[in-house]
Amino acid sequence: MSIEGSYIGGGWQVCNALVGPGDLTGDSKGDLLTRDASGVLYLYGGYGSGTAVALRIRVGGGWSAYNRILGTSDFSGDGRADLVARDRSGSLRLYKGTGSATTSFAGRVKIGYGWGTYDKLVAPGDLSGDGKADLLAVNAAGDLYQYLGAGAKATLTPG
């Protein structure tokens, strides 16, 4: 069976990160974030058609400090999509979504440290069924760990 996608556009090779965070703009349509080689993060609003995205909006610079950026759906429990980013020292930062395309995130909050021990991180949504987004992490030995989101507390607890 052949897999064929719908062509959306060219020039995406300038991105070194591509993140599907959910709805950041507050219009109930999935959005897209990209980071370029200079560390600038851009938001592309989704149209909900699956065939195009809106023109990019510059979110801000300095994102090259992060070696992993995760779209976490609603990690903070406020009803808006959020981001979690890991820096090179292994600290985890939460960027709460605002629901606005022009000011996408509130200031960052440190929610953990020691995350450099994990080779893989993923934000699959609410795995535990408690209504809060969770994280999964895999270490070099291949061990999988679950961390449960704590909603408004913006913290993680081992699952």
Side-chain angles (χ1 to χ4, degrees):
M1 173 157 70
S2 167
I3 297 176
E4 295 184 30
S6 299
Y7 180 79
I8 294 179
W12 294 85
Q13 73 277 7
V14 301
C15 307
N16 63 19
L18 188 67
V19 179
D23 176 23
L24 289 175
T25 59
D27 62 1
S28 300
K29 295 174 178 70
D31 301 319
L32 180 65
L33 289 170
T34 65
R35 181 182 63 195
D36 68 16
S38 65
V40 176
L41 195 68
Y42 293 97
L43 169 65
Y44 293 82
Y47 290 134
S49 65
T51 59
V53 291
L55 294 176
R56 71 183 187 180
I57 298 170
R58 187 180 197 274
V59 173
W63 288 83
S64 58
Y66 299 110
N67 58 19
R68 192 72 169 107
I69 302 171
L70 305 170
T72 61
S73 64
D74 181 18
F75 186 81
S76 64
D78 64 1
R80 293 185 287 266
D82 304 315
L83 277 187
V84 169
R86 180 183 66 188
D87 66 24
R88 294 185 192 331
S89 74
S91 292
L92 217 54
R93 312 284 180 166
L94 171 66
Y95 288 83
K96 288 184 178 183
T98 63
S100 168
T102 55
T103 310
S104 303
F105 302 105
R108 70 182 185 176
V109 176
K110 186 175 182 177
I111 59 172
Y113 58 91
W115 287 80
T117 190
Y118 297 114
D119 294 342
K120 297 172 180 71
L121 295 173
V122 66
D126 177 17
L127 290 176
S128 63
D130 64 359
K132 301 171 186 93
D134 305 317
L135 298 181
L136 294 176
V138 177
N139 65 16
D143 300 323
L144 179 66
Y145 293 88
Q146 177 183 13
Y147 291 88
L148 303 176
K153 296 178 187 173
T155 60
L156 293 163
T157 58

